[in-house]
Amino acid sequence: MEIIIDGQPGFLPTTQPVSLSSVLSDISDHLEAQRRGMLGIVVDGASIAADDLEGALAGRSIESVLSVEVRSEALAELAAARMQAVKDVLPELENACRQLAEVFSSGAEDEAYGQFDELAGAWVALKEQQRQIARALGANLDEIVENDDVLRAHHEKLSRFLTEAGQAITSRDQVLMADLLEYEFAPLAERERTVLETLDLLLKERSAGA
């Protein structure tokens, strides 16, 4: 098997590879030591998305692989790119909470339920982006301290209210949905702004120390 990292062939795993996953783990450790992260993976000419590795590699024997190519980028640059994507989404999240609260309050709930599903999906995607940023910076998002409080408490509260909203949707309780959006989700969306500021500060600290 030929292993190519950023166009340079000749990478040798530290131990005898037993699976393709173990090879990629070895490459990841090698890159992490250089404060870099995987940007793209190509196995035998086929690109594999980072979030689809488990499915793509399922059942693939190490003997069947001829080549592995990996592109990498500095972790700080990866984090910065994802940070911009989060910054673009955040204002829409805050506005959507208050606008949907008004829709539920007006009685037009049929349209609003579908819009809430979209809002919840966008919020889950936002949190995943934040987790990827934190991982790129060598941190656990839940353990980051923000305003003397670990972010796990914020995430647990968000999860609890998403569950309550799901129950309200099931019971078609538009009054509860309006209240949740106005008094719970909107403040949580505002809190996401300070979460982003904390990640931004961490990014600057890591970049300065690189």
Side-chain angles (χ1 to χ4, degrees), residues 1-12:
M1 180 199 311
E2 183 179 31
I3 301 176
I4 304 169
I5 300 178
D6 294 325
Q8 299 297 317
F11 175 81
L12 297 175

Side-chain angles (χ1 to χ4, degrees), residues 104 112-113 116-117 119-120 157-174 176-178 180-181 185:
F104 275 108
Y113 286 125
F116 180 81
D117 285 342
L119 171 65
K157 185 181 292 187
L158 173 61
S159 179
R160 184 169 70 253
F161 288 127
L162 284 172
T163 298
E164 284 190 34
Q167 294 168 348
I169 289 173
T170 299
S171 61
R172 308 292 286 184
D173 190 337
Q174 66 191 67
L176 178 56
M177 284 299 298
L180 284 172
L181 283 159
F185 284 112

Side-chain angles (χ1 to χ4, degrees), residues 93-94 96-98 100-101 116 119 123 153-166 168 175-192:
L93 192 69
E94 296 175 14
C97 289
R98 291 189 167 83
L100 268 181
F116 180 81
L119 171 65
W123 211 321
H154 168 66
H155 298 146
E156 289 174 348
K157 185 181 292 187
L158 173 61
S159 179
R160 184 169 70 253
F161 288 127
L162 284 172
T163 298
E164 284 190 34
V175 174
L176 178 56
M177 284 299 298
D179 287 346
L180 284 172
L181 283 159
E182 181 68 26
Y183 301 113
E184 305 299 348
F185 284 112
L188 286 173
E190 291 177 0
R191 176 77 184 275
E192 294 293 353

Side-chain angles (χ1 to χ4, degrees), residues 131 134-135 137-145 151-152 202:
R131 292 186 189 284
R135 282 198 297 269
L137 297 174
N140 182 327
L141 186 66
D142 286 334
E143 299 299 328
I144 293 176
V145 176
L151 289 180
R152 179 182 287 109
L202 184 61

Side-chain angles (χ1 to χ4, degrees), residues 15 23 31 129 148 202:
T15 59
V23 171
L31 291 172
Q129 287 275 18
D148 298 323
L202 184 61

Side-chain angles (χ1 to χ4, degrees), residues 7-166:
Q8 299 297 317
F11 175 81
L12 297 175
T14 56
T15 59
Q16 181 65 29
V18 295
S19 66
L20 188 51
S21 294
S22 70
V23 171
L24 292 173
S25 178
D26 217 350
I27 295 173
S28 179
D29 290 344
H30 169 75
L31 291 172
E32 187 173 334
Q34 302 177 46
R35 299 192 61 77
R36 298 181 70 82
M38 290 189 191
L39 193 60
I41 304 167
V42 178
V43 177
D44 289 341
S47 296
I48 299 176
D51 58 358
D52 190 36
L53 281 178
E54 186 174 345
L57 301 182
R60 190 76 182 266
S61 69
I62 191 69
E63 293 80 9
S64 68
V65 178
L66 299 178
S67 68
V68 175
E69 300 178 50
V70 170
R71 290 183 297 111
S72 73
E73 190 171 19
L75 289 175
E77 294 176 8
L78 279 171
R82 289 178 177 141
M83 187 80 75
Q84 187 56 54
V86 171
K87 288 179 179 178
D88 292 341
V89 168
L90 202 52
E92 298 176 11
L93 192 69
E94 296 175 14
N95 292 335
C97 289
R98 291 189 167 83
Q99 290 171 358
L100 268 181
E102 292 178 3
V103 174
F104 275 108
S105 296
S106 71
E109 73 273 16
D110 288 340
E111 176 185 350
Y113 286 125
Q115 292 177 6
F116 180 81
D117 285 342
E118 294 177 6
L119 171 65
W123 211 321
V124 170
L126 170 73
K127 299 315 297 183
E128 180 55 32
Q129 287 275 18
Q130 291 178 349
R131 292 186 189 284
Q132 290 176 5
I133 292 169
R135 282 198 297 269
L137 297 174
N140 182 327
L141 186 66
D142 286 334
E143 299 299 328
I144 293 176
V145 176
E146 186 256 333
N147 290 338
D148 298 323
D149 188 19
V150 292
L151 289 180
R152 179 182 287 109
H154 168 66
H155 298 146
E156 289 174 348
K157 185 181 292 187
L158 173 61
S159 179
R160 184 169 70 253
F161 288 127
L162 284 172
T163 298
E164 284 190 34

